[in-house]
Amino acid sequence: MNLKFTAEENKFREEVREWLGKNIPAEPLPSLDTAEGFELHREWEKKLFADGWSVPNWPKEFGGRDCSITEWLIFEEEYWASNAPGRVNTNGISLLAPTIFQFGTDEQQQRILPKMASGEEIWAQAWSEPNAGSDLASLSTKAIADGDWFILNGQKTWCSRGAFADWLFCIVRTDPESERHHGLSYLLVPADTEGMERRVFGRLDGRPAFSEIFFTDAKVHKSNLLGEAGQGWAVAMATTSSERGLNLRAPGRFMAAADKLAELEKELSASGQYSKQVANIWAKSRAYRWVCFSAAAKLASGGELGSTASMMKVFWSELDLELCALALEMLGDRAELMEGSPDAYNNSSWLDDYLFALAGPIYAGTNEIQRNIIAERVLGLPRK
Amino acid sequence: MQFEITSDQKLFADTFRSLLEAKCSSDDVRKSWEEGAPIENLWHEISEMGALSIFASEADGGLGLSEVEMALLMEEAGRAALPEPFLEHTVAVSILASILSPSLGNSNSTKKSGDKIIKNQIAELPEIFEKAISEEIILSPTNINSEYVAYGNRADFFLLAHRPDHFHLLEKDAVTLHTQKSIDEPRNPTKVEYDPSKETAVGGDPALAFNRGAVGAAAICLGTAQKLLDTTVEYVKERKQFGTSVGTQQAVKHHLANVAISIEHARPNVYAAAWHLACRDDLNAGEVAGEVDKAVSSAKALASDAANLAAKQALQCHGAIAYTIENDLNFWMKQAWVAANSWGNSAFHLNRISNSL
Ligand SMILES: Cc1cc2nc3c(=O)[nH]c(=O)nc-3n(C[C@H](O)[C@H](O)[C@H](O)COP(=O)(O)OP(=O)(O)OC[C@H]3O[C@@H](n4cnc5c(N)ncnc54)[C@H](O)[C@@H]3O)c2cc1C
């Protein structure tokens, strides 16, 4: 074991820091979950891409710089510590891309990945349905093959950033007779597909961040099938492992948040009454960091995270919630103030973060489901 | 000792609950949030019931009741997500009531301490009080631990705790308002800028008013938490995943059982705190202040925790369906967070307890 960064890794960190220092917008961008904010964040993606920073861990030919997972974790640490804008294409880059690298044809990789890297095409995940949440395998949206096309009918929901995205990645039932995990396929759907409609609606914070998607005889070309027809479940499970593990939530995010929490305590609380809680949260953010560096080593040597990703997901989502709740407690009577209030602390960023953190134990597979997975697949306890 | 809500008290609370069920449905609440306007006629109906004059003596045309009845009504207000300055106005009325007739306004006690009287400062005081208990004007108090007055946009008069030992009374035209936006949208927390003077000082006891507000907010937390729990219990019975209702899953059952445990252990504490406030003068002299403060603080701390837990688990057990403003649950969650955080949050009250142990 050697926990020292190499000279090369340190140089990489310096380079990232320098670039961010020069390029971060002077004023914070409006929320990426608004029409205006979405486009400004797309511009930011383009800027990152232009200098090779939008997907540093991807191969060069698709717009990355071939960096190691360790370097990517370093990148994320610097990124979050610098107050850079949120990443509007996260679901594409963190969830879909790893699946395309694994299952996509050459043609699909060439066609899709560079435009994802550059922000030209922004992706949203359309898996959940009104009756298929935790039980995703009960989904009923159908895509029936008809020559070179699939004809889609059905409904998706809770599609984050579905309001403004250019493409959706969906799981659909291509075998109408099939049940549960069988007969499903992973299909990429352009948002301007005829016969596809979106209804945008407000999240808990009121922002138009959710979309319902309705398919009525919508035609999608078969070149957009990812993996084999009927193998959608296996392809999808590759994505969920990314979703739960370090891909979606790198530790840098929580390390930066814990550091901000400590600053907040210094500023607002002279009594020391929160010190132990703040220290506990800080320690957890660093614990998650070590978990991720050790996972990185495992992945780099060809291993897989498997069900341990479920433990990471429970850990980061509960840490995030605890962290934001404590910040609000410290803010006292200013905690409730929303964006636009003259007295809102730091433009109400802690309240926004809290509202978002509340969703962490729900999306990417609820924490109840994760705990079932941990108990059954990691600990080997008998199933019900 | 007999720890029991009387049948009269229960009837009073039930009447209020029926009124709110009829006139403050979730559709009414939604409309009020969306239009940024009070529910039509509701304040009038609340006044008709006498609920604006709990703390006014019968001689003054009030009900002559106490903090216990106040807590029962606030619990109902929380259950209904009542988007009105009901707690604020009630606390303000209680301040004026004890300034005007220090020996009255309380069924459990004949003598009152704490309310400092500054005589003859504002000649119109009785008239303002009269109007406040008959719905003509809305009063809002500041609380000694916050810079903001809730529902500042609705108030006609402000009772401002200038220093810890007395209030000033100012009409809205005489102050400058800085209105903020709350996540609990109808509240409009407002910073009030004013010039205190000899002419505006009216007396009253800000510390007592704070305790009343804290007990009232604790009761709102209880009602909100209960409503969140009840709604979620119904939902998880209906919602099916994996071929069975999600309420059959032990993980879900345990979350909701924890909420129930938390509410059931906060509720008697809130009633006990209300009783301590109502009887503060009959309790053993000397120990009173500390005992009352501790009872109030443990009530508010536990009720705040119950409300926060209820909101968290209601959301978690609903899943995404509750993570949208299209679902009515959002009104109760937001009310829970804000009620838990106002009139001193859990951390504040635990600190107050630990300072006096
Ligand atoms: C902010 C946010 C963003 C989202 N973004 C997207 C998106 O972009 N694309 C997309 O497709 N989806 C998205 N989702 C949806 C998300 O994937 C689902 O919410 C999630 O899968 C849970 O499904 P559900 O909400 O229907 O809850 P349900 O499955 O109905 O669950 C309700 C409750 O029952 C529990 N439960 C269910 N089954 C079990 C069991 N077997 N054992 C124990 N407990 C159980 C759950 O844990 C939960 O507490 C998003 C959700 C949120 C909140």
Side-chain angles (χ1 to χ4, degrees), chain B residues 89-344:
Chain B
H89 186 75
T90 300
V91 171
V93 165
S94 80
I95 299 164
L96 289 192
S98 34
I99 292 171
L100 287 168
S101 29
S103 64
L104 291 167
N106 188 316
S107 59
N108 294 328
S109 168
T110 49
K111 191 168 68 65
K112 290 277 211 171
S113 67
D115 292 309
K116 180 171 173 172
I117 320 291
I118 298 178
K119 283 221 169 65
N120 303 328
Q121 292 294 350
I122 297 183
E124 306 86 357
L125 213 56
E127 193 191 325
I128 292 168
F129 180 68
E130 183 68 25
K131 286 184 174 167
I133 61 173
S134 60
E135 75 176 279
E136 275 176 64
I137 56 168
I138 292 180
L139 298 177
S140 204
T142 44
N143 111 33
I144 42 175
N145 288 295
S146 173
E147 288 198 81
Y148 305 100
V149 173
Y151 296 90
N153 59 326
R154 300 274 306 278
D156 303 295
F157 281 87
F158 295 93
L159 269 164
L160 300 153
H162 180 60
R163 285 211 309 267
D165 66 340
H166 67 275
F167 284 98
H168 290 260
L169 181 70
L170 286 101
E171 201 167 351
K172 73 170 173 221
D173 296 339
V175 302
T176 309
L177 301 181
H178 303 278
T179 305
Q180 320 281 323
K181 280 170 66 185
S182 170
I183 180 89
D184 183 1
E185 287 178 29
R187 270 170 60 89
N188 292 299
T190 305
K191 201 186 269 174
V192 185
E193 209 181 298
Y194 66 107
D195 285 321
S197 71
K198 263 183 159 170
E199 284 68 43
T200 59
V202 290
D205 179 358
L208 172 62
F210 176 73
N211 275 343
R212 285 199 185 109
V215 168
I220 291 176
C221 285
L222 286 181
T224 311
Q226 189 67 51
K227 168 77 178 189
L228 286 163
L229 178 61
D230 294 348
T231 310
T232 309
V233 165
E234 286 314 306
Y235 180 77
V236 300
K237 285 193 240 171
E238 296 299 317
R239 170 69 171 173
K240 291 203 162 57
Q241 289 289 277
F242 304 100
T244 175
S245 78
V246 297
T248 61
Q249 306 292 348
Q250 220 163 54
V252 172
K253 286 178 181 163
H254 286 190
H255 283 327
L256 297 178
N258 285 336
V259 175
I261 294 167
S262 175
I263 296 172
E264 292 310 318
H265 284 77
R267 186 180 286 114
N269 201 335
V270 173
Y271 296 163
W275 181 87
H276 273 77
L277 267 183
C279 301
R280 64 193 179 281
D281 293 323
D282 297 336
L283 298 170
N284 280 343
E287 292 213 4
V288 175
E291 289 310 305
V292 172
D293 283 2
K294 274 189 274 184
V296 169
S297 282
S298 58
K300 182 59 171 56
L302 267 85
S304 299
D305 290 348
N308 275 323
L309 184 69
K312 178 178 168 183
Q313 301 304 19
L315 174 60
Q316 186 63 26
C317 295
H318 273 77
I321 192 107
Y323 198 79
T324 158
I325 50 171
E326 297 199 335
N327 191 301
D328 291 341
L329 210 72
N330 93 93
F331 306 128
W332 278 269
M333 289 192 287
K334 290 169 183 172
Q335 177 179 266
W337 298 324
V338 172
N341 196 49
S342 56
W343 298 92

Side-chain angles (χ1 to χ4, degrees), chain A residues 91 124-130 132-135 157-161 203 210 356 359 361-369 372, chain B residues 235-236 239-242 246 249-252 255 315-321 323:
Chain A
N91 285 3
Q125 179 185 30
W127 289 15
S128 302
E129 296 182 1
S134 297
D135 185 12
T157 191
W158 317 125
C159 181
S160 296
R161 293 180 280 291
R203 224 166 37 179
F210 273 148
F356 189 61
I362 299 174
Y363 64 74
T366 71
N367 284 12
E368 290 70 34
I369 297 292
N372 289 345
Chain B
Y235 180 77
V236 300
R239 170 69 171 173
K240 291 203 162 57
Q241 289 289 277
F242 304 100
V246 297
Q249 306 292 348
Q250 220 163 54
V252 172
H255 283 327
L315 174 60
Q316 186 63 26
C317 295
H318 273 77
I321 192 107
Y323 198 79

